[in-house]
Amino acid sequence: MKISLISCVLAIFLLGNTLLLGQADQPRNFYPKQYAERDAIIQMEELKHGTLVIRLATNTRKLASIKKAIKLANNEKERNRLGAMLEKTALDTRNQNLWLKAAFDSIYTFTPVLFMPDTVAIQLKTGVRQGIFLGPSLDKIDPSLTLDGKFFVAFYGANTSDEKTNNQGITVLDSTLQSLRSPFPYFTGRTSIRRMFEEFFNKSEGQNHFEKLVAKFQKRLEEF
């Protein structure tokens, strides 16, 4: 009887340690699969009946940095070089935003869409729902545009997840600007190699890329 009792106590002790070690070995971002699936279903339902706000890049800091460098430049050649860089950065930013908007306007039908500059993202997060959204030409804020109900935020840029590092694509955030979890299709991208190939053979690659990207994004949402 003593041996049996000791064996039982020892077994319970070892089982407890195994469970504790198992929990300690879990990564900090561990989230049970069933909870992630439940959350994704709820979030997709909210998105389907809500609005997608597209956060457009302004490159405000980069442009300000180049302007400052122009003022500090000590020769005409350097000022001209920086001036050309400033002009190209502003043009590339503008074109990217127009391409992205045109693609959403012509292809995306899953939800209503609003566009805002990234400089007002904090205002959206803190509860502002009017006076921060861009008009059709993206040149200025349209004070008549209002956001009602549930919403999610999406932006175009490099993905930072381990699986698809450096891919450019559309990332979806929740209304607090926090990342979503798989299996929600929170990132839709196209490989850099494919973009390089298209750019080499197709001079209209910019608009073409965004059209294919938004079509892929729409399809993934519908399939989910």
Side-chain angles (χ1 to χ4, degrees):
M1 179 66 72
K2 281 186 178 181
I3 294 176
S4 177
L5 181 60
I6 292 172
S7 297
C8 288
V9 173
L10 182 60
I12 293 172
F13 175 76
L14 291 173
L15 178 61
N17 276 354
T18 300
L19 292 173
L20 288 174
L21 287 172
Q23 291 177 352
D25 288 340
Q26 296 288 3
R28 288 188 177 183
N29 61 351
F30 173 73
Y31 197 62
K33 182 179 179 181
Q34 65 270 28
Y35 295 159
E37 290 175 346
R38 176 206 61 192
D39 290 350
I41 292 171
I42 294 172
Q43 289 159 348
M44 185 60 70
E45 195 67 20
E46 289 178 346
L47 173 60
K48 189 169 68 172
H49 295 95
T51 301
L52 185 65
V53 179
I54 309 299
R55 189 182 75 192
L56 299 176
T58 59
N59 280 323
T60 302
R61 292 183 180 179
K62 183 177 181 180
L63 292 170
S65 178
I66 298 174
K67 290 177 181 178
K68 183 177 179 180
I70 291 174
K71 291 181 179 180
L72 298 175
N74 53 19
N75 61 74
E76 190 67 22
K77 183 178 180 180
E78 181 65 6
R79 280 192 291 272
N80 290 338
R81 185 188 71 82
L82 291 169
M85 182 187 299
L86 179 67
E87 186 176 343
K88 184 179 186 305
T89 300
L91 181 61
D92 288 348
T93 303
R94 170 73 174 166
N95 284 340
Q96 177 178 292
N97 290 337
L98 289 174
W99 288 331
L100 187 60
K101 184 178 187 303
F104 268 98
D105 287 346
S106 62
I107 296 170
Y108 184 80
T109 58
F110 196 75
T111 65
V113 178
L114 288 170
F115 298 86
M116 70 173 185
D118 56 13
T119 51
V120 300
I122 298 301
Q123 295 180 52
L124 178 69
K125 182 179 179 179
T126 55
V128 179
R129 299 292 180 265
Q130 189 173 11
I132 59 174
F133 304 111
L134 293 164
S137 63
L138 304 184
D139 287 328
K140 58 183 180 179
I141 298 295
D142 183 342
S144 68
L145 295 176
T146 303
L147 174 63
D148 297 312
K150 298 282 186 178
F151 70 93
F152 288 75
V153 177
F155 67 92
Y156 176 79
N159 180 53
T160 56
S161 70
D162 293 335
E163 310 92 56
K164 299 174 181 176
T165 303
N166 295 326
N167 279 0
Q168 297 285 314
I170 297 171
T171 298
V172 183
L173 309 173
D174 65 18
S175 58
T176 65
L177 306 185
Q178 296 298 309
S179 299
L180 300 177
R181 296 176 183 270
S182 180
F184 188 99
Y186 65 89
F187 178 77
T188 302
R190 303 183 70 236
T191 64
S192 299
I193 294 176
R194 176 172 291 188
R195 287 204 65 191
M196 289 173 61
F197 181 84
E198 290 175 349
E199 188 172 3
F200 184 78
F201 289 102
N202 183 1
K203 292 184 178 179
S204 63
E205 180 272 337
Q207 184 63 63
N208 183 57
H209 164 68
F210 285 101
E211 288 173 354
K212 289 183 177 180
L213 180 63
V214 172
K216 183 178 179 180
F217 176 58
Q218 165 102 1
K219 184 178 180 181
R220 293 192 70 203
L221 294 178
E222 289 174 345
E223 287 178 346
F224 185 90

